[in-house]
Amino acid sequence: MTTSTIRVRYAPSPTGDFHVGGARTALFNYLFARHHEGKFILRIEDTDQKRYNPDALGWLLNGLRYLGLNWDEGPEVGGEYGPYVQTERLDIYQKYCHQLLDAGQAYYCFCTSERLEKVHQEQEKKKLLPGYDRYCRDLDLNEAAERVAKGESFTVRAKLPIEGDITFYDTIRGEITFSYTMLQDAVLMKSDGIPTYHLANVIDDHLMEISHILRGDEWINSIPLHLFLYQAFGWQPPIMAHLPLILNPTGKGKMSKREDRAPDGRLLPVFVRSFEKKGYLPEAMVNYLALLGWSYDDHTEIMTMAELIERFSLERVKSAPAAWNYEKLDYFSGDTIRRLPIEDLTDRLLPFLAEAGIQAKREKMLLITPLIRERIKTLSEAAAWIDFFFMAELPSYDTALLIPKKTTAAVTLTILERAQQILTTVEFTHDTLENALSAEANKLGLKTGQMFQPIRVAVCGRTVAPPLFETLVVLGRELSLKRIGQAIAKIRNTH
Ligand code: GLU
Protein backbone atom coordinates (compact mmCIF):
# COMPACT_ATOMS: atom_id res chain seq x y z
CA MET A 1 0.00 0.00 0.00
CA THR A 2 1.39 3.40 -0.88
CA THR A 3 1.37 5.98 1.85
CA SER A 4 -0.94 8.26 -0.08
CA THR A 5 -3.77 5.73 0.25
CA ILE A 6 -3.89 5.93 4.03
CA ARG A 7 -7.23 7.37 5.05
CA VAL A 8 -8.43 7.12 8.64
CA ARG A 9 -11.40 8.59 10.38
CA TYR A 10 -12.57 9.60 13.80
CA ALA A 11 -16.31 8.94 13.82
CA PRO A 12 -17.89 10.15 17.06
CA SER A 13 -21.58 10.18 17.85
CA PRO A 14 -22.70 13.57 19.15
CA THR A 15 -24.45 12.21 22.20
CA GLY A 16 -22.56 13.93 24.99
CA ASP A 17 -19.43 15.65 26.12
CA PHE A 18 -16.09 15.05 24.39
CA HIS A 19 -14.39 12.53 26.67
CA VAL A 20 -10.62 12.09 26.86
CA GLY A 21 -11.11 8.48 25.75
CA GLY A 22 -12.54 9.79 22.48
CA ALA A 23 -9.71 12.30 22.28
CA ARG A 24 -7.19 9.46 22.57
CA THR A 25 -8.90 7.66 19.66
CA ALA A 26 -8.90 10.86 17.60
CA LEU A 27 -5.24 11.46 18.42
CA PHE A 28 -4.10 7.97 17.40
CA ASN A 29 -5.94 8.36 14.10
CA TYR A 30 -4.40 11.78 13.62
CA LEU A 31 -0.85 10.59 14.39
CA PHE A 32 -1.25 7.59 12.13
CA ALA A 33 -2.53 9.75 9.26
CA ARG A 34 0.18 12.38 9.66
CA HIS A 35 2.92 9.77 10.04
CA HIS A 36 1.92 8.23 6.70
CA GLU A 37 1.08 11.54 5.07
CA GLY A 38 -2.44 10.27 4.70
CA LYS A 39 -5.79 11.88 5.47
CA PHE A 40 -7.50 12.34 8.82
CA ILE A 41 -11.25 12.48 8.37
CA LEU A 42 -13.89 13.56 10.84
CA ARG A 43 -17.30 11.98 10.40
CA ILE A 44 -20.28 12.70 12.60
CA GLU A 45 -22.32 9.59 13.31
CA ASP A 46 -25.58 11.15 14.40
CA THR A 47 -28.07 8.44 13.44
CA ASP A 48 -29.11 7.82 17.04
CA GLN A 49 -31.54 10.70 17.24
CA LYS A 50 -32.80 9.72 20.69
CA ARG A 51 -29.39 10.28 22.21
CA TYR A 52 -28.57 13.36 20.13
CA ASN A 53 -27.20 16.26 22.19
CA PRO A 54 -27.24 19.67 20.44
CA ASP A 55 -24.15 20.88 22.35
CA ALA A 56 -22.04 17.85 21.55
CA LEU A 57 -20.80 18.89 18.13
CA GLY A 58 -19.52 22.23 19.41
CA TRP A 59 -17.71 20.55 22.31
CA LEU A 60 -16.16 18.09 19.92
CA LEU A 61 -14.96 20.56 17.29
CA ASN A 62 -13.59 22.95 19.91
CA GLY A 63 -11.90 20.09 21.72
CA LEU A 64 -10.22 18.80 18.59
CA ARG A 65 -9.03 22.30 17.73
CA TYR A 66 -7.72 22.89 21.24
CA LEU A 67 -5.68 19.68 20.95
CA GLY A 68 -4.48 20.71 17.50
CA LEU A 69 -6.04 17.70 15.78
CA ASN A 70 -7.05 19.39 12.58
CA TRP A 71 -9.04 17.24 10.22
CA ASP A 72 -8.46 17.18 6.46
CA GLU A 73 -12.05 16.35 5.58
CA GLY A 74 -15.20 16.71 7.60
CA PRO A 75 -17.64 19.26 9.00
CA GLU A 76 -16.67 22.89 8.40
CA VAL A 77 -13.78 21.97 6.09
CA GLY A 78 -15.66 19.83 3.53
CA GLY A 79 -13.97 17.37 1.22
CA GLU A 80 -14.60 15.22 -1.81
CA TYR A 81 -16.30 12.39 0.06
CA GLY A 82 -18.97 14.46 1.83
CA PRO A 83 -21.33 15.10 3.34
CA TYR A 84 -19.56 14.06 6.55
CA VAL A 85 -22.62 14.16 8.80
CA GLN A 86 -24.60 10.94 8.57
CA THR A 87 -28.09 12.45 8.80
CA GLU A 88 -27.22 14.33 5.60
CA ARG A 89 -26.58 11.01 3.84
CA LEU A 90 -29.88 9.22 4.43
CA ASP A 91 -30.66 8.69 0.74
CA ILE A 92 -27.30 6.92 0.32
CA TYR A 93 -28.15 4.46 3.10
CA GLN A 94 -31.59 3.81 1.58
CA LYS A 95 -30.04 2.91 -1.72
CA TYR A 96 -27.59 0.43 -0.19
CA CYS A 97 -30.21 -0.98 2.12
CA HIS A 98 -32.36 -1.88 -0.90
CA GLN A 99 -29.36 -3.51 -2.47
CA LEU A 100 -29.11 -5.82 0.56
CA LEU A 101 -32.84 -6.55 0.50
CA ASP A 102 -32.75 -7.42 -3.18
CA ALA A 103 -29.77 -9.70 -2.67
CA GLY A 104 -31.54 -11.52 0.17
CA GLN A 105 -28.91 -10.42 2.69
CA ALA A 106 -31.44 -8.40 4.66
CA TYR A 107 -35.16 -8.64 5.25
CA TYR A 108 -38.16 -6.53 6.16
CA CYS A 109 -39.35 -7.02 9.71
CA PHE A 110 -42.89 -5.96 10.69
CA CYS A 111 -42.74 -7.00 14.33
CA THR A 112 -44.20 -4.37 16.61
CA SER A 113 -42.43 -3.30 19.77
CA GLU A 114 -45.23 -5.02 21.74
CA ARG A 115 -44.47 -8.31 20.03
CA LEU A 116 -40.74 -7.93 20.60
CA GLU A 117 -41.40 -7.18 24.24
CA LYS A 118 -43.50 -10.38 24.55
CA VAL A 119 -40.76 -12.44 22.92
CA HIS A 120 -38.29 -10.96 25.33
CA GLN A 121 -40.46 -11.84 28.35
CA GLU A 122 -40.88 -15.43 27.14
CA GLN A 123 -37.13 -15.76 26.73
CA GLU A 124 -36.58 -14.48 30.23
CA LYS A 125 -39.10 -16.95 31.62
CA LYS A 126 -37.42 -19.84 29.84
CA LYS A 127 -33.97 -18.50 30.75
CA LEU A 128 -33.02 -18.30 27.06
CA LEU A 129 -30.59 -15.77 25.62
CA PRO A 130 -32.51 -12.61 24.76
CA GLY A 131 -32.82 -11.63 21.11
CA TYR A 132 -35.00 -11.45 18.05
CA ASP A 133 -36.65 -14.77 17.18
CA ARG A 134 -36.29 -14.23 13.40
CA TYR A 135 -40.05 -14.26 12.98
CA CYS A 136 -39.98 -12.25 9.72
CA ARG A 137 -36.80 -13.73 8.32
CA ASP A 138 -38.48 -15.94 5.75
CA LEU A 139 -41.27 -13.65 4.59
CA ASP A 140 -41.61 -13.53 0.84
CA LEU A 141 -39.92 -10.38 -0.45
CA ASN A 142 -42.79 -9.44 -2.80
CA GLU A 143 -45.33 -9.91 -0.07
CA ALA A 144 -43.22 -7.84 2.27
CA ALA A 145 -42.81 -5.11 -0.34
CA GLU A 146 -46.60 -4.97 -0.70
CA ARG A 147 -47.05 -4.50 3.04
CA VAL A 148 -44.47 -1.72 2.91
CA ALA A 149 -46.28 -0.11 -0.02
CA LYS A 150 -49.50 -0.17 2.00
CA GLY A 151 -47.79 1.87 4.67
CA GLU A 152 -47.15 -0.79 7.31
CA SER A 153 -44.37 0.15 9.69
CA PHE A 154 -41.17 -1.89 9.32
CA THR A 155 -37.50 -2.19 10.08
CA VAL A 156 -34.84 -3.91 7.98
CA ARG A 157 -32.73 -6.62 9.59
CA ALA A 158 -29.50 -8.32 8.58
CA LYS A 159 -29.95 -11.93 7.49
CA LEU A 160 -26.93 -13.31 9.28
CA PRO A 161 -25.74 -16.89 8.99
CA ILE A 162 -27.28 -18.98 11.76
CA GLU A 163 -24.25 -21.11 12.43
CA GLY A 164 -20.54 -21.24 11.72
CA ASP A 165 -17.64 -19.05 12.81
CA ILE A 166 -16.11 -15.88 11.57
CA THR A 167 -12.45 -15.04 12.11
CA PHE A 168 -10.75 -11.76 11.48
CA TYR A 169 -7.39 -10.22 12.17
CA ASP A 170 -6.99 -7.20 14.41
CA THR A 171 -3.65 -5.40 14.06
CA ILE A 172 -3.37 -4.91 17.81
CA ARG A 173 -5.07 -8.02 19.15
CA GLY A 174 -4.31 -10.59 16.50
CA GLU A 175 -6.81 -13.19 15.38
CA ILE A 176 -10.30 -13.08 16.87
CA THR A 177 -13.04 -15.63 16.18
CA PHE A 178 -16.76 -15.22 16.78
CA SER A 179 -19.48 -17.81 16.49
CA TYR A 180 -22.56 -16.79 14.49
CA THR A 181 -24.73 -18.65 16.99
CA MET A 182 -24.12 -15.78 19.41
CA LEU A 183 -25.32 -13.16 16.95
CA GLN A 184 -28.64 -11.49 16.28
CA ASP A 185 -30.32 -10.49 13.07
CA ALA A 186 -29.55 -6.89 13.98
CA VAL A 187 -31.66 -3.98 12.79
CA LEU A 188 -29.97 -2.10 9.96
CA MET A 189 -32.70 0.39 9.13
CA LYS A 190 -35.08 1.72 11.75
CA SER A 191 -38.78 2.33 11.17
CA ASP A 192 -38.16 6.08 10.74
CA GLY A 193 -35.93 5.44 7.72
CA ILE A 194 -32.74 6.22 9.62
CA PRO A 195 -30.05 3.52 9.58
CA THR A 196 -28.46 2.11 12.70
CA TYR A 197 -24.81 2.75 13.46
CA HIS A 198 -23.74 -0.54 11.86
CA LEU A 199 -25.16 0.02 8.41
CA ALA A 200 -24.18 3.66 8.14
CA ASN A 201 -20.70 3.03 9.52
CA VAL A 202 -19.90 0.26 7.05
CA ILE A 203 -21.29 2.12 4.04
CA ASP A 204 -19.42 5.29 4.93
CA ASP A 205 -16.12 3.61 5.66
CA HIS A 206 -16.35 2.03 2.23
CA LEU A 207 -17.52 5.10 0.32
CA MET A 208 -15.01 7.34 2.08
CA GLU A 209 -12.28 4.85 1.17
CA ILE A 210 -11.14 4.39 4.74
CA SER A 211 -8.00 2.24 4.77
CA HIS A 212 -7.67 1.62 8.53
CA ILE A 213 -10.17 1.66 11.35
CA LEU A 214 -8.62 2.66 14.67
CA ARG A 215 -11.24 2.80 17.39
CA GLY A 216 -11.99 1.90 20.99
CA ASP A 217 -12.22 -1.77 21.80
CA GLU A 218 -15.86 -1.51 22.86
CA TRP A 219 -16.63 -1.91 19.14
CA ILE A 220 -15.03 -5.31 18.76
CA ASN A 221 -18.32 -7.14 19.25
CA SER A 222 -19.83 -5.33 16.27
CA ILE A 223 -17.21 -6.67 13.90
CA PRO A 224 -18.88 -9.93 12.84
CA LEU A 225 -21.95 -7.98 11.76
CA HIS A 226 -19.78 -5.41 9.97
CA LEU A 227 -17.80 -8.11 8.20
CA PHE A 228 -21.05 -9.76 7.16
CA LEU A 229 -22.12 -6.44 5.63
CA TYR A 230 -18.81 -5.96 3.80
CA GLN A 231 -19.21 -9.44 2.41
CA ALA A 232 -22.85 -8.90 1.48
CA PHE A 233 -21.91 -5.75 -0.44
CA GLY A 234 -18.88 -7.42 -1.97
CA TRP A 235 -16.52 -4.87 -0.45
CA GLN A 236 -13.04 -5.25 1.01
CA PRO A 237 -13.11 -4.28 4.72
CA PRO A 238 -10.52 -1.79 6.02
CA ILE A 239 -7.68 -2.97 8.25
CA MET A 240 -8.87 -2.96 11.87
CA ALA A 241 -7.10 -1.97 15.05
CA HIS A 242 -8.94 -1.79 18.36
CA LEU A 243 -7.29 0.47 20.90
CA PRO A 244 -6.86 -0.63 24.51
CA LEU A 245 -9.33 0.33 27.17
CA ILE A 246 -8.62 3.26 29.47
CA LEU A 247 -9.12 2.42 33.13
CA ASN A 248 -9.84 4.55 36.19
CA PRO A 249 -6.78 5.82 38.09
CA THR A 250 -7.20 2.95 40.55
CA GLY A 251 -6.63 0.54 37.66
CA LYS A 252 -10.05 -0.95 38.37
CA GLY A 253 -12.92 -0.52 35.94
CA LYS A 254 -13.34 1.46 32.78
CA MET A 255 -12.56 5.16 33.12
CA SER A 256 -15.57 7.06 34.37
CA LYS A 257 -17.81 8.68 31.77
CA ARG A 258 -18.79 11.35 34.29
CA GLU A 259 -16.83 13.86 36.29
CA ASP A 260 -16.84 12.45 39.80
CA ARG A 261 -15.34 13.91 42.95
CA ALA A 262 -12.17 12.54 44.50
CA PRO A 263 -12.31 11.65 48.23
CA ASP A 264 -10.84 15.09 48.98
CA GLY A 265 -13.69 16.81 47.13
CA ARG A 266 -11.73 17.75 44.00
CA LEU A 267 -13.59 17.39 40.72
CA LEU A 268 -11.88 14.83 38.52
CA PRO A 269 -12.10 16.05 34.93
CA VAL A 270 -12.79 13.57 32.14
CA PHE A 271 -14.04 15.91 29.42
CA VAL A 272 -11.63 17.67 27.09
CA ARG A 273 -13.18 21.08 27.72
CA SER A 274 -12.68 20.66 31.49
CA PHE A 275 -8.96 20.13 31.00
CA GLU A 276 -8.86 23.11 28.66
CA LYS A 277 -10.69 25.25 31.19
CA LYS A 278 -8.23 24.27 33.92
CA GLY A 279 -5.44 25.41 31.67
CA TYR A 280 -3.72 22.18 30.80
CA LEU A 281 -1.53 22.94 27.82
CA PRO A 282 -2.66 21.10 24.71
CA GLU A 283 0.94 19.98 24.11
CA ALA A 284 0.90 18.20 27.47
CA MET A 285 -2.54 16.67 26.86
CA VAL A 286 -1.43 15.33 23.50
CA ASN A 287 1.81 13.98 24.92
CA TYR A 288 0.00 12.32 27.82
CA LEU A 289 -2.81 10.87 25.68
CA ALA A 290 -0.30 9.47 23.18
CA LEU A 291 1.20 7.33 25.94
CA LEU A 292 -2.15 5.83 26.93
CA GLY A 293 -1.65 2.51 25.20
CA TRP A 294 1.31 3.43 23.01
CA SER A 295 5.00 3.94 23.72
CA TYR A 296 8.01 4.89 21.66
CA ASP A 297 10.48 2.84 23.65
CA ASP A 298 10.70 1.88 27.30
CA HIS A 299 11.78 5.26 28.62
CA THR A 300 11.07 8.28 26.38
CA GLU A 301 8.13 10.19 27.78
CA ILE A 302 8.26 13.86 26.87
CA MET A 303 7.59 14.32 23.17
CA THR A 304 6.34 17.11 20.95
CA MET A 305 3.58 16.63 18.40
CA ALA A 306 6.20 16.56 15.64
CA GLU A 307 8.11 13.81 17.44
CA LEU A 308 4.94 11.83 18.07
CA ILE A 309 4.01 12.05 14.40
CA GLU A 310 7.44 10.90 13.39
CA ARG A 311 7.53 8.02 15.88
CA PHE A 312 3.96 6.75 15.98
CA SER A 313 3.32 3.22 14.80
CA LEU A 314 0.50 0.73 15.29
CA GLU A 315 3.03 -1.98 16.10
CA ARG A 316 3.76 -0.28 19.40
CA VAL A 317 0.14 0.09 20.48
CA LYS A 318 -0.42 -2.35 23.33
CA SER A 319 -3.50 -4.45 23.82
CA ALA A 320 -3.34 -4.20 27.63
CA PRO A 321 -5.56 -1.55 29.21
CA ALA A 322 -3.94 1.68 30.41
CA ALA A 323 -4.94 3.40 33.67
CA TRP A 324 -5.49 7.16 33.69
CA ASN A 325 -3.01 9.00 35.90
CA TYR A 326 -3.78 12.60 36.90
CA GLU A 327 -0.39 13.09 38.61
CA LYS A 328 1.47 12.11 35.49
CA LEU A 329 -0.60 14.50 33.39
CA ASP A 330 0.15 17.27 35.92
CA TYR A 331 3.81 16.48 35.65
CA PHE A 332 3.68 16.66 31.84
CA SER A 333 1.75 19.89 32.02
CA GLY A 334 4.17 21.53 34.47
CA ASP A 335 7.09 20.38 32.40
CA THR A 336 5.58 21.79 29.22
CA ILE A 337 4.92 25.11 30.95
CA ARG A 338 8.55 25.37 32.07
CA ARG A 339 9.76 24.80 28.52
CA LEU A 340 7.65 27.54 26.96
CA PRO A 341 9.34 30.83 26.08
CA ILE A 342 8.24 33.58 28.48
CA GLU A 343 6.40 35.51 25.75
CA ASP A 344 4.41 32.47 24.71
CA LEU A 345 3.57 31.46 28.26
CA THR A 346 2.55 35.04 29.05
CA ASP A 347 0.19 35.17 26.09
CA ARG A 348 -1.42 31.94 27.20
CA LEU A 349 -1.73 33.13 30.79
CA LEU A 350 -3.44 36.44 30.00
CA PRO A 351 -6.91 35.01 29.19
CA PHE A 352 -6.79 32.88 32.34
CA LEU A 353 -5.95 35.92 34.43
CA ALA A 354 -8.77 37.87 32.81
CA GLU A 355 -11.11 34.98 33.59
CA ALA A 356 -10.03 35.26 37.24
CA GLY A 357 -10.77 38.99 37.20
CA ILE A 358 -7.14 40.16 36.85
CA GLN A 359 -6.65 42.75 34.11
CA ALA A 360 -2.91 42.29 33.66
CA LYS A 361 -0.91 44.27 31.10
CA ARG A 362 1.28 42.12 28.90
CA GLU A 363 4.38 44.24 29.65
CA LYS A 364 4.01 43.74 33.37
CA MET A 365 3.20 40.04 32.99
CA LEU A 366 6.40 39.54 31.03
CA LEU A 367 8.19 40.41 34.28
CA ILE A 368 5.94 38.25 36.47
CA THR A 369 5.70 35.12 34.34
CA PRO A 370 9.32 34.05 35.08
CA LEU A 371 8.53 34.22 38.81
CA ILE A 372 5.80 31.59 38.65
CA ARG A 373 6.60 29.38 35.75
CA GLU A 374 8.39 26.87 37.98
CA ARG A 375 5.46 26.84 40.36
CA ILE A 376 2.40 26.16 38.24
CA LYS A 377 1.20 23.02 36.53
CA THR A 378 -1.79 24.52 34.79
CA LEU A 379 -2.52 28.00 33.50
CA SER A 380 -5.47 28.48 35.85
CA GLU A 381 -3.21 28.14 38.89
CA ALA A 382 -1.37 31.36 38.04
CA ALA A 383 -4.02 33.81 39.26
CA ALA A 384 -3.81 32.66 42.87
CA TRP A 385 -0.03 33.08 42.83
CA ILE A 386 0.11 36.58 41.45
CA ASP A 387 -3.14 38.38 42.22
CA PHE A 388 -1.38 40.53 44.86
CA PHE A 389 0.66 42.25 42.14
CA PHE A 390 -2.53 43.74 40.75
CA MET A 391 -4.33 44.83 43.90
CA ALA A 392 -4.39 48.38 45.16
CA GLU A 393 -5.06 47.00 48.66
CA LEU A 394 -4.22 43.52 49.94
CA PRO A 395 -7.12 41.62 51.45
CA SER A 396 -6.72 41.30 55.19
CA TYR A 397 -4.51 38.47 56.38
CA ASP A 398 -3.75 36.92 59.74
CA THR A 399 -1.19 39.03 61.62
CA ALA A 400 0.38 35.86 63.01
CA LEU A 401 1.63 35.00 59.51
CA LEU A 402 4.05 37.92 59.78
CA ILE A 403 5.83 36.46 62.79
CA PRO A 404 8.51 33.89 61.91
CA LYS A 405 8.95 30.77 64.01
CA LYS A 406 11.12 31.16 67.11
CA THR A 407 10.72 34.94 67.06
CA THR A 408 8.32 37.39 68.61
CA ALA A 409 6.08 40.25 67.55
CA ALA A 410 8.74 42.65 68.78
CA VAL A 411 11.44 41.05 66.61
CA THR A 412 9.05 41.09 63.65
CA LEU A 413 8.43 44.76 64.18
CA THR A 414 12.16 45.43 64.16
CA ILE A 415 12.58 43.41 60.95
CA LEU A 416 9.84 45.36 59.22
CA GLU A 417 11.11 48.74 60.40
CA ARG A 418 14.63 47.96 59.21
CA ALA A 419 13.27 46.71 55.91
CA GLN A 420 11.32 49.92 55.60
CA GLN A 421 14.48 51.97 56.02
CA ILE A 422 16.42 49.85 53.57
CA LEU A 423 13.72 49.86 50.91
CA THR A 424 13.44 53.59 51.15
CA THR A 425 17.00 54.14 50.09
CA VAL A 426 18.45 51.13 48.33
CA GLU A 427 18.38 50.71 44.57
CA PHE A 428 15.46 48.45 43.54
CA THR A 429 17.24 45.56 41.87
CA HIS A 430 17.37 41.91 42.82
CA ASP A 431 21.00 41.90 43.93
CA THR A 432 21.08 45.12 45.90
CA LEU A 433 17.88 44.17 47.72
CA GLU A 434 19.17 40.72 48.50
CA ASN A 435 22.54 41.97 49.69
CA ALA A 436 21.12 44.71 51.86
CA LEU A 437 18.41 42.57 53.45
CA SER A 438 20.74 39.60 54.02
CA ALA A 439 23.34 41.84 55.64
CA GLU A 440 20.62 43.20 57.89
CA ALA A 441 19.59 39.68 58.93
CA ASN A 442 23.19 39.06 59.90
CA LYS A 443 23.31 42.22 61.94
CA LEU A 444 20.13 41.24 63.79
CA GLY A 445 21.45 37.72 64.39
CA LEU A 446 18.59 36.20 62.38
CA LYS A 447 18.47 33.56 59.72
CA THR A 448 17.67 35.03 56.32
CA GLY A 449 14.50 32.92 56.23
CA GLN A 450 13.34 34.57 59.45
CA MET A 451 14.22 37.99 58.10
CA PHE A 452 12.43 37.55 54.79
CA GLN A 453 9.17 36.04 56.01
CA PRO A 454 7.60 39.19 57.45
CA ILE A 455 8.62 41.13 54.37
CA ARG A 456 7.13 38.50 52.10
CA VAL A 457 3.87 38.33 54.01
CA ALA A 458 3.71 42.12 54.19
CA VAL A 459 3.98 42.57 50.42
CA CYS A 460 2.13 39.43 49.24
CA GLY A 461 -0.34 38.79 52.07
CA ARG A 462 0.69 35.12 52.33
CA THR A 463 3.64 32.92 53.26
CA VAL A 464 3.84 30.94 50.04
CA ALA A 465 4.64 33.32 47.21
CA PRO A 466 6.97 33.92 44.27
CA PRO A 467 10.66 34.69 45.02
CA LEU A 468 10.94 37.75 47.24
CA PHE A 469 13.44 40.06 45.59
CA GLU A 470 12.02 39.71 42.11
CA THR A 471 8.62 40.30 43.62
CA LEU A 472 9.80 43.50 45.29
CA VAL A 473 11.33 44.72 42.05
CA VAL A 474 8.10 44.19 40.13
CA LEU A 475 5.94 45.71 42.86
CA GLY A 476 8.22 48.76 43.00
CA ARG A 477 9.36 50.89 45.86
CA GLU A 478 6.16 52.76 46.50
CA LEU A 479 3.78 49.84 46.76
CA SER A 480 6.28 47.70 48.68
CA LEU A 481 6.79 50.43 51.26
CA LYS A 482 3.09 51.07 51.58
CA ARG A 483 2.42 47.39 52.34
CA ILE A 484 5.29 47.17 54.79
CA GLY A 485 3.90 50.24 56.52
CA GLN A 486 0.52 48.55 56.77
CA ALA A 487 2.10 45.41 58.24
CA ILE A 488 3.91 47.51 60.86
CA ALA A 489 0.60 49.09 61.81
CA LYS A 490 -1.03 45.68 62.06
CA ILE A 491 1.61 44.43 64.49
CA ARG A 492 1.43 47.61 66.55
CA ASN A 493 -2.35 47.34 66.75
CA THR A 494 -2.43 43.78 67.95
CA HIS A 495 0.63 43.56 70.19
N1 GLU B 1 -19.93 6.35 16.20
C1 GLU B 1 -19.09 5.43 16.89
C2 GLU B 1 -18.67 6.09 18.20
O1 GLU B 1 -19.39 6.86 18.71
C3 GLU B 1 -17.91 5.12 16.03
C4 GLU B 1 -17.31 3.79 16.24
C5 GLU B 1 -16.35 3.53 15.11
O2 GLU B 1 -15.31 4.19 15.09
O3 GLU B 1 -16.68 2.74 14.27
O4 GLU B 1 -17.62 5.85 18.76
Coordinates of all heavy atoms in Angstrom, one line a residue, residues 9 11-13 45 197 201 215 219, ligand 1:
R9 N -10.3 7.7 10.0 CA -11.4 8.6 10.4 C -11.6 8.5 11.9 O -11.4 7.5 12.5 CB -12.7 8.3 9.6 CG -13.6 7.1 9.9 CD -13.0 5.9 10.5 NE -13.9 4.8 10.6 CZ -14.3 4.3 11.8 NH1 -14.0 4.9 12.9 NH2 -15.1 3.2 11.8
A11 N -14.9 8.9 14.2 CA -16.3 8.9 13.8 C -17.2 9.0 15.1 O -17.9 8.1 15.4 CB -16.6 7.7 13.0
P12 N -17.1 10.1 15.8 CA -17.9 10.1 17.1 C -19.4 10.3 16.8 O -19.8 10.8 15.8 CB -17.3 11.4 17.7 CG -16.9 12.3 16.6 CD -16.4 11.3 15.5
S13 N -20.1 9.9 17.8 CA -21.6 10.2 17.8 C -21.8 11.4 18.8 O -21.3 11.3 19.9 CB -22.3 9.0 18.4 OG -22.1 7.9 17.5
E45 N -21.4 10.7 13.4 CA -22.3 9.6 13.3 C -23.5 9.9 14.2 O -23.6 9.5 15.4 CB -21.6 8.3 13.7 CG -20.4 8.0 12.8 CD -20.0 6.6 12.7 OE1 -20.1 5.8 13.7 OE2 -19.6 6.1 11.6
Y197 N -26.2 2.5 13.5 CA -24.8 2.8 13.5 C -24.1 1.8 12.5 O -23.3 2.2 11.6 CB -24.2 2.6 14.9 CG -22.8 2.2 14.9 CD1 -21.8 3.1 14.5 CD2 -22.4 0.9 15.3 CE1 -20.4 2.7 14.5 CE2 -21.1 0.5 15.3 CZ -20.1 1.4 14.9 OH -18.8 1.0 14.9
N201 N -22.1 3.1 9.3 CA -20.7 3.0 9.5 C -20.0 2.2 8.4 O -19.0 2.7 7.9 CB -20.5 2.4 10.9 CG -19.0 2.3 11.3 OD1 -18.3 1.4 11.0 ND2 -18.6 3.3 12.1
R215 N -10.2 2.3 16.5 CA -11.2 2.8 17.4 C -11.2 2.1 18.7 O -10.4 1.1 18.9 CB -12.6 2.6 16.7 CG -12.9 1.2 16.5 CD -14.3 1.0 15.8 NE -14.3 -0.3 15.2 CZ -15.1 -0.7 14.2 NH1 -16.0 0.2 13.7 NH2 -15.1 -1.9 13.7
W219 N -16.0 -1.6 20.4 CA -16.6 -1.9 19.1 C -16.3 -3.3 18.6 O -16.8 -3.7 17.5 CB -16.3 -0.8 18.1 CG -16.7 0.5 18.6 CD1 -15.9 1.5 19.2 CD2 -18.1 1.0 18.7 NE1 -16.7 2.5 19.6 CE2 -18.0 2.3 19.3 CE3 -19.3 0.5 18.3 CZ2 -19.2 3.0 19.5 CZ3 -20.4 1.2 18.5 CH2 -20.4 2.5 19.1
Ligands
GLU1 N1 -19.9 6.4 16.2 C1 -19.1 5.4 16.9 C2 -18.7 6.1 18.2 O1 -19.4 6.9 18.7 C3 -17.9 5.1 16.0 C4 -17.3 3.8 16.2 C5 -16.4 3.5 15.1 O2 -15.3 4.2 15.1 O3 -16.7 2.7 14.3 O4 -17.6 5.9 18.8

